[in-house]
């Protein structure tokens, strides 16, 4: 009896297990047919397939479909309702539920993009958009929508873009060595804000490509290009000819020790400290008025806010009739017109830089103020600072004199004329009325020197005498001296440091901000 009961229970259990197995088999078959793994919900149809993803590497394939792109700066409410394509960097992004907000950036221009789940935009596309790393270059197709209340923090505040396609053109590494927002924060003198991150100078320069993407850097170097353009256009209109001079030379052009020596085949040569000698040779060759824009090298171990070992020189030389002031005042007028050009045509760039680095507006007189060196010494003496008649001005004394001039004459630009002969290069013409003085001048912006110039000696015998006086080996500059053997017009000129001019015009605190890839005694990279 007990045995029969056990058999019945055994059959019952076997039947139960068979039913269970059959049920599991049917369930497995259903999973295979539906293509789903265990525990996964049925797939939601992705309505955005083919509208987002990574673009193939652009290799200039002529068969690839081309779009017409719109610049962010041109996105205004007048385009409301239009569908546009934009290629730009992903500046910032934030996901919120079924939405992702992206800010696109081109130079200093920004616009907000909305990727929103809809009948044409899937959750997968929104998720993809939210995972794109900052600084990636992306293509976006979108509809321009007017935003009456405005979009805070974007240059294109009257509109936003509602995206219908989004493609990665070139992805950025997700980990950035500096954040563009941090590198763009306003810096006010004396401000201590522990809540906001400040990017230090070395971090900026070590990652210069990223730092140059800030709106401020973009504005600085567009204004710097403006200085070069104005310099070139103004002088060309005055009859000057642009020339290009050697940067590898046989002897130190300034007669000093601060020169870079380079290996030159079986011998040595030097990197030019100035195009000075070649400008003068061009005058001797009857070009009459010349200018050049190019690299200048100074092997000075000066780790200051205004010194670089390589900078861009704006140099000019001009023949005159009777007095070197014909040239000096031409240069003064050149600066006045550059300042006017920057004021009138680069106001947006000036304002952008001022937002991050506040400074007093640059002031100047027309015509510019000209002071004698003796007058400058007198003003300094009245302020309690003595400068010898054969002494040059130190940096701190120059700044003090700049403040005194600003207070008395309300100008940030002025010319100081008749420097002591002892502190000028060997080719400087001595003053005919005072053997201790010279026909030379410096020009200043905000109390710092930005140009050094003079009448040059155009007589071969006097030039040879002055070179020997400075201890220069005549054989190393023989070709320069020989240029005056066959007659040369009296002439004068000057050399300008481009980066220093831009730094001082904008009221910045360091010349490295105005040098795209600065070189100084401690930096030769990137």
């Amino acid at each position: 009896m007990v045995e029969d009961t056990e058999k019945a229970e055994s059959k019952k259990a076997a039947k139960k297990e068979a039913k269970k197995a059959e049920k599991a088999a049917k369930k497995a078959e259903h999973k295979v047919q539906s293509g789903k793994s265990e525990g996964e919900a049925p797939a939601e149809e992705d309505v955005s397939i083919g509208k987002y993803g990574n673009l193939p590497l652009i290799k200039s394939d002529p068969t690839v479909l081309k779009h017409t792109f719109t610049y962010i700066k041109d996105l205004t409410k007048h385009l409301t309702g239009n569908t546009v394509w934009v290629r730009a960097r992903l500046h910032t992004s934030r996901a919120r539920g079924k939405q992702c907000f992206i800010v696109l950036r081109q130079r200093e221009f920004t616009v907000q993009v909305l990727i929103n789940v809809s009948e044409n935009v899937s959750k997968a596309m929104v998720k993809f958009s939210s995972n794109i790393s900052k600084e990636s270059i992306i293509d976006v197709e979108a509809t321009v929508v007017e935003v009456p209340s405005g979009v805070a923090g974007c240059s294109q505040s009257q509109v936003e873009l509602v995206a219908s396609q989004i493609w990665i053109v070139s992805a950025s590494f997700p980990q950035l060595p500096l954040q563009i927002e941090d590198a763009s924060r306003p810096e006010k003198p004396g401000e201590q804000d522990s809540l906001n991150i400040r990017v230090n100078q070395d971090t900026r320069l070590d990652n210069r490509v990223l730092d140059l993407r800030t709106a401020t850097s973009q504005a600085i170097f567009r204004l710097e290009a403006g200085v070069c353009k104005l310099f070139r256009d103004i002088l060309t209109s005055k009859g000057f000819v642009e020339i290009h001079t050697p940067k590898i030379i046989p002897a130190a052009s300034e007669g000093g020790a601060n020169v870079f020596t380079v290996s030159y085949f079986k011998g040595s040569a030097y990197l030019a400290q100035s195009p000075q000698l070649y400008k003068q040779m061009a005058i001797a060759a009857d070009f009459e008025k010349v200018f050049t824009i190019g690299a200048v090298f100074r092997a000075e171990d000066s780790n200051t806010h205004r010194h670089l070992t390589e900078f861009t020189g704006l140099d000019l030389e001009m023949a005159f009739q009777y007095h070197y002031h014909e040239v000096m005042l031409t240069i003064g007028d050149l600066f006045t017109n550059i300042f006017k050009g920057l004021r009138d045509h680069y106001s947006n760039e000036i304002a952008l830089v001022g937002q991050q680095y506040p400074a007093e507006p640059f002031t100047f007189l027309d015509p510019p103020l000209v002071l004698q060196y003796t007058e400058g010494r007198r003003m300094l003496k009245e302020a309690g600072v003595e400068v010898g008649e054969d002494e040059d001005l130190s940096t701190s004394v120059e700044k003090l004199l700049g403040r005194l001039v600003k207070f008395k004459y309300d100008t940030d630009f002025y010319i100081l004329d008749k420097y002591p002969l002892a502190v000028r290069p060997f080719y400087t013409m001595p003053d005919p009325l005072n053997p201790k003085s010279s026909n030379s001048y410096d020009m200043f912006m905000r109390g710092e020197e930005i140009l050094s110039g003079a009448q040059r000696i155009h007589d071969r015998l006097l030039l040879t005498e002055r070179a020997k006086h400075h201890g220069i080996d005549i054989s190393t500059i023989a070709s320069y001296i020989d240029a005056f053997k066959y007659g040369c017009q009296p002439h004068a000129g000057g050399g300008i440091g481009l980066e220093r001019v831009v730094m001082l015009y904008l009221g910045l605190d360091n010349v490295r901000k105005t040098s795209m890839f600065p070189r100084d005694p401690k930096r030769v990279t990137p």
Side-chain angles (χ1 to χ4, degrees):
M1 192 72 179
V2 173
E3 185 178 343
D4 291 341
T5 303
E6 286 178 351
K7 286 181 178 179
E9 288 179 354
S10 178
K11 287 181 180 180
K12 188 177 180 180
K15 191 176 181 179
K16 186 177 181 180
E17 287 296 325
K19 286 184 177 181
K20 187 175 179 182
E22 183 181 0
K23 188 176 180 180
K26 288 181 179 181
K27 188 175 181 181
E29 182 180 0
H30 176 70
K31 287 175 186 175
V32 171
Q33 290 174 349
S34 63
K36 295 295 177 183
S37 59
E38 186 175 354
E40 190 170 290
E44 178 182 301
E45 183 183 0
D46 189 347
V47 296
S48 297
I49 288 177
K51 296 181 180 179
Y52 67 95
N54 291 277
L55 283 182
L57 186 65
I58 295 176
K59 296 181 177 180
S60 304
D61 184 345
T63 65
V64 171
L65 177 66
K66 298 177 178 64
H67 303 295
T68 300
F69 290 96
T70 301
Y71 288 106
I72 288 178
K73 66 181 177 64
D74 297 327
L75 294 173
T76 65
K77 62 183 181 181
H78 300 295
L79 291 177
T80 298
N82 288 3
T83 298
V84 297
W85 278 93
V86 175
R87 175 172 292 177
R89 289 196 183 276
L90 191 151
H91 185 57
T92 61
S93 68
R94 72 181 195 279
R96 190 172 64 190
K98 297 181 178 181
Q99 296 178 321
C100 179
F101 293 90
I102 283 175
V103 173
L104 295 181
R105 188 186 76 246
Q106 286 174 344
R107 292 169 26 208
E108 67 268 35
F109 303 104
T110 51
V111 67
Q112 179 172 276
V113 181
L114 170 63
I115 304 97
N116 187 43
V117 173
S118 66
E119 61 181 12
N120 297 315
V121 176
S122 66
K123 289 181 181 179
M125 179 171 164
V126 173
K127 184 177 181 180
F128 171 83
S129 302
S130 67
N131 287 327
I132 301 174
S133 54
K134 288 183 181 180
E135 295 303 297
S136 294
I137 297 173
I138 62 175
D139 284 355
V140 174
E141 181 194 51
T143 303
V144 181
V145 176
E146 185 176 356
V147 183
S149 59
V151 180
C154 288
S155 68
Q156 310 311 103
S157 60
Q158 295 182 322
V159 297
E160 71 176 3
L161 301 179
V162 177
S164 50
Q165 294 194 51
I166 185 165
W167 297 91
I168 297 175
V169 178
S170 179
S172 169
F173 275 32
Q175 297 299 320
L176 298 173
L178 61 85
Q179 298 295 322
I180 303 299
E181 309 96 282
D182 296 335
S184 303
R185 295 188 191 283
E187 296 185 8
K188 297 178 181 178
E191 182 183 27
Q192 297 295 325
D193 188 351
S194 59
L195 298 178
N196 287 330
I197 297 172
R198 295 283 186 265
V199 182
N200 66 42
Q201 181 172 276
D202 282 339
T203 301
R204 289 179 183 274
L205 297 181
D206 289 341
N207 303 280
R208 192 59 161 156
V209 169
L210 280 177
D211 185 49
L212 290 173
R213 293 179 187 175
T214 66
T216 301
S217 290
Q218 292 283 314
I220 287 172
F221 290 101
R222 290 183 187 280
L223 184 139
E224 188 162 287
V227 173
C228 286
K229 183 179 187 302
L230 289 163
F231 178 81
R232 179 177 280 115
D233 291 350
I234 293 165
L235 291 180
T236 299
S237 72
K238 293 178 181 289
F240 281 74
V241 176
E242 183 170 6
I243 62 173
H244 304 282
T245 61
K247 302 300 177 278
I248 299 175
I249 60 175
S253 48
E254 298 289 345
N258 299 320
V259 60
F260 287 110
T261 304
V262 295
S263 174
Y264 196 72
F265 299 101
K266 294 183 180 180
S268 296
Y270 305 92
L271 295 180
Q273 298 164 290
S274 164
Q276 180 57 49
L277 311 187
Y278 297 95
K279 291 187 301 177
Q280 288 188 255
M281 292 167 74
I283 298 298
D286 290 344
F287 280 86
E288 295 186 351
K289 299 177 180 180
V290 298
F291 72 90
T292 183
I293 301 175
V296 175
F297 303 89
R298 299 286 172 90
E300 298 175 358
D301 192 10
S302 298
N303 295 283
T304 73
H305 75 286
R306 67 176 191 169
H307 284 95
L308 295 170
T309 54
E310 179 185 349
F311 62 90
T312 303
L314 308 179
D315 282 79
L316 68 157
E317 205 72 21
M318 171 183 163
F320 63 84
Q321 303 298 323
Y322 296 107
H323 201 288
Y324 74 94
H325 280 182
E326 297 169 34
V327 181
M328 185 185 80
L329 296 178
T330 295
I331 300 174
D333 181 66
L334 164 68
F335 272 107
T336 298
N337 282 295
I338 288 175
F339 300 148
K340 287 179 180 178
L342 294 178
R343 179 196 64 196
D344 296 343
H345 301 295
Y346 293 86
S347 57
N348 289 340
E349 285 79 3
I350 294 166
L352 271 172
V353 176
Q355 289 174 13
Q356 183 166 4
Y357 303 114
E360 289 293 319
F362 188 84
T363 61
F364 59 95
L365 300 177
D366 185 11
L369 173 69
V370 179
L371 292 177
Q372 297 291 301
Y373 193 82
T374 51
E375 173 65 9
R377 288 179 59 224
R378 186 189 63 77
M379 292 175 67
L380 288 166
K381 185 176 181 179
E382 290 175 356
V385 176
E386 292 276 358
V387 177
E389 63 176 348
D390 289 334
E391 288 183 38
D392 201 355
L393 303 181
S394 66
T395 300
S396 59
V397 171
E398 283 181 353
K399 289 182 176 180
L400 172 58
L401 182 57
R403 291 194 295 272
L404 297 174
V405 169
K406 173 75 171 180
F407 179 78
K408 186 173 182 178
Y409 299 100
D410 191 26
T411 180
D412 287 313
F413 175 74
Y414 74 98
I415 302 170
L416 196 59
D417 189 24
K418 292 291 182 185
Y419 267 73
L421 182 62
V423 301
R424 307 304 278 198
F426 76 94
Y427 47 72
T428 305
M429 182 68 77
D431 184 341
L433 304 178
N434 181 355
K436 290 191 174 184
S437 185
S438 66
N439 295 348
S440 65
Y441 43 86
D442 279 0
M443 299 186 186
F444 296 84
M445 293 173 62
R446 297 191 196 264
E448 297 194 42
E449 177 223 315
I450 46 88
L451 175 142
S452 183
Q455 178 183 354
R456 325 300 187 179
I457 296 173
H458 59 283
D459 178 78
R460 181 171 175 270
L461 295 178
L462 180 57
L463 187 60
T464 301
E465 177 188 320
R466 292 298 301 166
K468 289 180 179 178
H469 177 79
H470 279 256
I472 297 173
D473 182 355
I474 301 301
S475 65
T476 63
I477 57 170
S479 60
Y480 167 62
I481 292 178
D482 285 347
F484 302 99
K485 285 172 64 175
Y486 310 109
C488 181
Q489 293 193 62
H491 57 280
I496 304 162
L498 172 63
E499 292 86 353
R500 196 179 290 185
V501 167
V502 176
M503 172 187 76
L504 294 168
Y505 182 83
L506 294 171
L508 302 176
D509 63 350
N510 199 298
V511 73
R512 290 157 187 80
K513 287 185 170 73
T514 59
S515 176
M516 186 166 280
F517 298 102
R519 296 292 179 260
D520 60 36
K522 296 180 179 178
R523 179 174 291 276
V524 292
T525 58

PDB file of all heavy atoms in Angstrom, residues 456-475:
ATOM      1  N   ARG A 456      70.189 107.280 -37.991  1.00  0.00           N
ATOM      2  CA  ARG A 456      71.329 106.380 -38.128  1.00  0.00           C
ATOM      3  C   ARG A 456      72.500 107.137 -38.760  1.00  0.00           C
ATOM      4  O   ARG A 456      72.296 108.081 -39.535  1.00  0.00           O
ATOM      5  CB  ARG A 456      70.975 105.192 -39.020  1.00  0.00           C
ATOM      6  CG  ARG A 456      69.563 104.697 -38.919  1.00  0.00           C
ATOM      7  CD  ARG A 456      69.140 104.225 -37.541  1.00  0.00           C
ATOM      8  NE  ARG A 456      67.821 103.605 -37.578  1.00  0.00           N
ATOM      9  CZ  ARG A 456      67.203 103.089 -36.536  1.00  0.00           C
ATOM     10  NH1 ARG A 456      67.776 103.110 -35.345  1.00  0.00           N
ATOM     11  NH2 ARG A 456      66.002 102.535 -36.657  1.00  0.00           N
ATOM     12  N   ILE A 457      73.671 106.687 -38.441  1.00  0.00           N
ATOM     13  CA  ILE A 457      74.860 107.270 -39.072  1.00  0.00           C
ATOM     14  C   ILE A 457      74.940 106.766 -40.515  1.00  0.00           C
ATOM     15  O   ILE A 457      74.954 105.558 -40.757  1.00  0.00           O
ATOM     16  CB  ILE A 457      76.132 106.868 -38.301  1.00  0.00           C
ATOM     17  CG1 ILE A 457      76.094 107.455 -36.881  1.00  0.00           C
ATOM     18  CG2 ILE A 457      77.384 107.346 -39.037  1.00  0.00           C
ATOM     19  CD1 ILE A 457      77.224 106.969 -35.985  1.00  0.00           C
ATOM     20  N   HIS A 458      74.961 107.688 -41.464  1.00  0.00           N
ATOM     21  CA  HIS A 458      75.015 107.297 -42.872  1.00  0.00           C
ATOM     22  C   HIS A 458      76.372 107.616 -43.510  1.00  0.00           C
ATOM     23  O   HIS A 458      76.521 107.501 -44.728  1.00  0.00           O
ATOM     24  CB  HIS A 458      73.897 107.988 -43.666  1.00  0.00           C
ATOM     25  CG  HIS A 458      73.941 109.486 -43.611  1.00  0.00           C
ATOM     26  ND1 HIS A 458      73.510 110.203 -42.516  1.00  0.00           N
ATOM     27  CD2 HIS A 458      74.397 110.399 -44.513  1.00  0.00           C
ATOM     28  CE1 HIS A 458      73.658 111.487 -42.743  1.00  0.00           C
ATOM     29  NE2 HIS A 458      74.205 111.637 -43.964  1.00  0.00           N
ATOM     30  N   ASP A 459      77.338 107.980 -42.675  1.00  0.00           N
ATOM     31  CA  ASP A 459      78.699 108.254 -43.139  1.00  0.00           C
ATOM     32  C   ASP A 459      79.603 107.081 -42.745  1.00  0.00           C
ATOM     33  O   ASP A 459      79.679 106.703 -41.573  1.00  0.00           O
ATOM     34  CB  ASP A 459      79.222 109.550 -42.517  1.00  0.00           C
ATOM     35  CG  ASP A 459      80.652 109.851 -42.922  1.00  0.00           C
ATOM     36  OD1 ASP A 459      80.868 110.330 -44.042  1.00  0.00           O
ATOM     37  OD2 ASP A 459      81.561 109.566 -42.092  1.00  0.00           O
ATOM     38  N   ARG A 460      80.315 106.524 -43.715  1.00  0.00           N
ATOM     39  CA  ARG A 460      81.099 105.310 -43.494  1.00  0.00           C
ATOM     40  C   ARG A 460      82.195 105.509 -42.454  1.00  0.00           C
ATOM     41  O   ARG A 460      82.417 104.646 -41.588  1.00  0.00           O
ATOM     42  CB  ARG A 460      81.706 104.852 -44.828  1.00  0.00           C
ATOM     43  CG  ARG A 460      82.533 103.580 -44.758  1.00  0.00           C
ATOM     44  CD  ARG A 460      82.885 103.113 -46.160  1.00  0.00           C
ATOM     45  NE  ARG A 460      83.780 101.952 -46.114  1.00  0.00           N
ATOM     46  CZ  ARG A 460      85.112 102.048 -46.091  1.00  0.00           C
ATOM     47  NH1 ARG A 460      85.689 103.250 -46.117  1.00  0.00           N
ATOM     48  NH2 ARG A 460      85.847 100.958 -46.063  1.00  0.00           N
ATOM     49  N   LEU A 461      82.893 106.633 -42.503  1.00  0.00           N
ATOM     50  CA  LEU A 461      84.004 106.863 -41.573  1.00  0.00           C
ATOM     51  C   LEU A 461      83.503 107.035 -40.142  1.00  0.00           C
ATOM     52  O   LEU A 461      84.064 106.458 -39.205  1.00  0.00           O
ATOM     53  CB  LEU A 461      84.811 108.093 -42.009  1.00  0.00           C
ATOM     54  CG  LEU A 461      85.540 107.968 -43.355  1.00  0.00           C
ATOM     55  CD1 LEU A 461      86.257 109.280 -43.696  1.00  0.00           C
ATOM     56  CD2 LEU A 461      86.539 106.814 -43.301  1.00  0.00           C
ATOM     57  N   LEU A 462      82.445 107.810 -39.957  1.00  0.00           N
ATOM     58  CA  LEU A 462      81.893 108.011 -38.618  1.00  0.00           C
ATOM     59  C   LEU A 462      81.309 106.703 -38.084  1.00  0.00           C
ATOM     60  O   LEU A 462      81.447 106.383 -36.898  1.00  0.00           O
ATOM     61  CB  LEU A 462      80.818 109.104 -38.639  1.00  0.00           C
ATOM     62  CG  LEU A 462      80.138 109.416 -37.288  1.00  0.00           C
ATOM     63  CD1 LEU A 462      81.159 109.803 -36.221  1.00  0.00           C
ATOM     64  CD2 LEU A 462      79.090 110.525 -37.463  1.00  0.00           C
ATOM     65  N   LEU A 463      80.685 105.942 -38.953  1.00  0.00           N
ATOM     66  CA  LEU A 463      80.111 104.660 -38.539  1.00  0.00           C
ATOM     67  C   LEU A 463      81.211 103.704 -38.073  1.00  0.00           C
ATOM     68  O   LEU A 463      81.065 103.017 -37.046  1.00  0.00           O
ATOM     69  CB  LEU A 463      79.339 104.045 -39.702  1.00  0.00           C
ATOM     70  CG  LEU A 463      78.522 102.786 -39.411  1.00  0.00           C
ATOM     71  CD1 LEU A 463      77.456 103.045 -38.358  1.00  0.00           C
ATOM     72  CD2 LEU A 463      77.864 102.259 -40.691  1.00  0.00           C
ATOM     73  N   THR A 464      82.322 103.680 -38.802  1.00  0.00           N
ATOM     74  CA  THR A 464      83.449 102.827 -38.421  1.00  0.00           C
ATOM     75  C   THR A 464      84.013 103.253 -37.072  1.00  0.00           C
ATOM     76  O   THR A 464      84.313 102.415 -36.202  1.00  0.00           O
ATOM     77  CB  THR A 464      84.555 102.903 -39.491  1.00  0.00           C
ATOM     78  OG1 THR A 464      84.023 102.492 -40.752  1.00  0.00           O
ATOM     79  CG2 THR A 464      85.725 102.005 -39.124  1.00  0.00           C
ATOM     80  N   GLU A 465      84.121 104.551 -36.880  1.00  0.00           N
ATOM     81  CA  GLU A 465      84.640 105.086 -35.613  1.00  0.00           C
ATOM     82  C   GLU A 465      83.755 104.696 -34.436  1.00  0.00           C
ATOM     83  O   GLU A 465      84.242 104.265 -33.393  1.00  0.00           O
ATOM     84  CB  GLU A 465      84.728 106.613 -35.721  1.00  0.00           C
ATOM     85  CG  GLU A 465      85.196 107.319 -34.446  1.00  0.00           C
ATOM     86  CD  GLU A 465      85.080 108.831 -34.558  1.00  0.00           C
ATOM     87  OE1 GLU A 465      85.380 109.382 -35.634  1.00  0.00           O
ATOM     88  OE2 GLU A 465      84.673 109.455 -33.550  1.00  0.00           O
ATOM     89  N   ARG A 466      82.438 104.822 -34.615  1.00  0.00           N
ATOM     90  CA  ARG A 466      81.513 104.506 -33.520  1.00  0.00           C
ATOM     91  C   ARG A 466      81.478 102.989 -33.238  1.00  0.00           C
ATOM     92  O   ARG A 466      81.352 102.581 -32.094  1.00  0.00           O
ATOM     93  CB  ARG A 466      80.103 104.994 -33.877  1.00  0.00           C
ATOM     94  CG  ARG A 466      79.973 106.514 -33.941  1.00  0.00           C
ATOM     95  CD  ARG A 466      80.265 107.175 -32.609  1.00  0.00           C
ATOM     96  NE  ARG A 466      79.349 106.682 -31.575  1.00  0.00           N
ATOM     97  CZ  ARG A 466      79.527 106.876 -30.267  1.00  0.00           C
ATOM     98  NH1 ARG A 466      80.612 107.513 -29.829  1.00  0.00           N
ATOM     99  NH2 ARG A 466      78.662 106.411 -29.394  1.00  0.00           N
ATOM    100  N   ALA A 467      81.601 102.183 -34.279  1.00  0.00           N
ATOM    101  CA  ALA A 467      81.631 100.733 -34.086  1.00  0.00           C
ATOM    102  C   ALA A 467      82.854 100.329 -33.274  1.00  0.00           C
ATOM    103  O   ALA A 467      82.769  99.499 -32.358  1.00  0.00           O
ATOM    104  CB  ALA A 467      81.621 100.015 -35.433  1.00  0.00           C
ATOM    105  N   LYS A 468      84.012 100.904 -33.585  1.00  0.00           N
ATOM    106  CA  LYS A 468      85.229 100.618 -32.831  1.00  0.00           C
ATOM    107  C   LYS A 468      85.077 101.077 -31.388  1.00  0.00           C
ATOM    108  O   LYS A 468      85.536 100.401 -30.455  1.00  0.00           O
ATOM    109  CB  LYS A 468      86.418 101.300 -33.485  1.00  0.00           C
ATOM    110  CG  LYS A 468      86.857 100.683 -34.813  1.00  0.00           C
ATOM    111  CD  LYS A 468      88.040 101.427 -35.402  1.00  0.00           C
ATOM    112  CE  LYS A 468      88.497 100.788 -36.707  1.00  0.00           C
ATOM    113  NZ  LYS A 468      89.621 101.540 -37.330  1.00  0.00           N
ATOM    114  N   HIS A 469      84.428 102.214 -31.200  1.00  0.00           N
ATOM    115  CA  HIS A 469      84.199 102.733 -29.850  1.00  0.00           C
ATOM    116  C   HIS A 469      83.385 101.738 -29.003  1.00  0.00           C
ATOM    117  O   HIS A 469      83.598 101.607 -27.799  1.00  0.00           O
ATOM    118  CB  HIS A 469      83.475 104.079 -29.923  1.00  0.00           C
ATOM    119  CG  HIS A 469      83.127 104.664 -28.584  1.00  0.00           C
ATOM    120  ND1 HIS A 469      84.060 105.322 -27.797  1.00  0.00           N
ATOM    121  CD2 HIS A 469      81.956 104.673 -27.873  1.00  0.00           C
ATOM    122  CE1 HIS A 469      83.476 105.720 -26.674  1.00  0.00           C
ATOM    123  NE2 HIS A 469      82.198 105.334 -26.703  1.00  0.00           N
ATOM    124  N   HIS A 470      82.496 101.006 -29.656  1.00  0.00           N
ATOM    125  CA  HIS A 470      81.651 100.021 -28.960  1.00  0.00           C
ATOM    126  C   HIS A 470      82.302  98.642 -28.912  1.00  0.00           C
ATOM    127  O   HIS A 470      81.692  97.680 -28.439  1.00  0.00           O
ATOM    128  CB  HIS A 470      80.288  99.917 -29.640  1.00  0.00           C
ATOM    129  CG  HIS A 470      79.341 101.015 -29.250  1.00  0.00           C
ATOM    130  ND1 HIS A 470      78.298 100.837 -28.381  1.00  0.00           N
ATOM    131  CD2 HIS A 470      79.297 102.326 -29.607  1.00  0.00           C
ATOM    132  CE1 HIS A 470      77.624 101.967 -28.220  1.00  0.00           C
ATOM    133  NE2 HIS A 470      78.212 102.897 -28.960  1.00  0.00           N
ATOM    134  N   GLY A 471      83.559  98.534 -29.405  1.00  0.00           N
ATOM    135  CA  GLY A 471      84.285  97.273 -29.329  1.00  0.00           C
ATOM    136  C   GLY A 471      83.830  96.233 -30.323  1.00  0.00           C
ATOM    137  O   GLY A 471      83.992  95.027 -30.084  1.00  0.00           O
ATOM    138  N   ILE A 472      83.267  96.649 -31.445  1.00  0.00           N
ATOM    139  CA  ILE A 472      82.773  95.723 -32.452  1.00  0.00           C
ATOM    140  C   ILE A 472      83.874  95.409 -33.458  1.00  0.00           C
ATOM    141  O   ILE A 472      84.580  96.308 -33.928  1.00  0.00           O
ATOM    142  CB  ILE A 472      81.544  96.314 -33.177  1.00  0.00           C
ATOM    143  CG1 ILE A 472      80.396  96.517 -32.178  1.00  0.00           C
ATOM    144  CG2 ILE A 472      81.097  95.420 -34.324  1.00  0.00           C
ATOM    145  CD1 ILE A 472      79.205  97.248 -32.748  1.00  0.00           C
ATOM    146  N   ASP A 473      84.045  94.146 -33.758  1.00  0.00           N
ATOM    147  CA  ASP A 473      85.008  93.712 -34.768  1.00  0.00           C
ATOM    148  C   ASP A 473      84.513  94.174 -36.134  1.00  0.00           C
ATOM    149  O   ASP A 473      83.488  93.692 -36.625  1.00  0.00           O
ATOM    150  CB  ASP A 473      85.154  92.191 -34.727  1.00  0.00           C
ATOM    151  CG  ASP A 473      86.190  91.665 -35.726  1.00  0.00           C
ATOM    152  OD1 ASP A 473      86.724  92.473 -36.517  1.00  0.00           O
ATOM    153  OD2 ASP A 473      86.442  90.448 -35.717  1.00  0.00           O
ATOM    154  N   ILE A 474      85.221  95.097 -36.751  1.00  0.00           N
ATOM    155  CA  ILE A 474      84.786  95.696 -38.008  1.00  0.00           C
ATOM    156  C   ILE A 474      84.624  94.658 -39.105  1.00  0.00           C
ATOM    157  O   ILE A 474      83.736  94.764 -39.965  1.00  0.00           O
ATOM    158  CB  ILE A 474      85.775  96.801 -38.459  1.00  0.00           C
ATOM    159  CG1 ILE A 474      85.893  97.898 -37.385  1.00  0.00           C
ATOM    160  CG2 ILE A 474      85.324  97.414 -39.785  1.00  0.00           C
ATOM    161  CD1 ILE A 474      84.594  98.573 -37.052  1.00  0.00           C
ATOM    162  N   SER A 475      85.450  93.615 -39.083  1.00  0.00           N
ATOM    163  CA  SER A 475      85.384  92.605 -40.144  1.00  0.00           C
ATOM    164  C   SER A 475      84.041  91.875 -40.167  1.00  0.00           C
ATOM    165  O   SER A 475      83.609  91.387 -41.209  1.00  0.00           O
ATOM    166  CB  SER A 475      86.514  91.586 -39.984  1.00  0.00           C
ATOM    167  OG  SER A 475      86.358  90.839 -38.781  1.00  0.00           O
TER     168      SER A 475
END
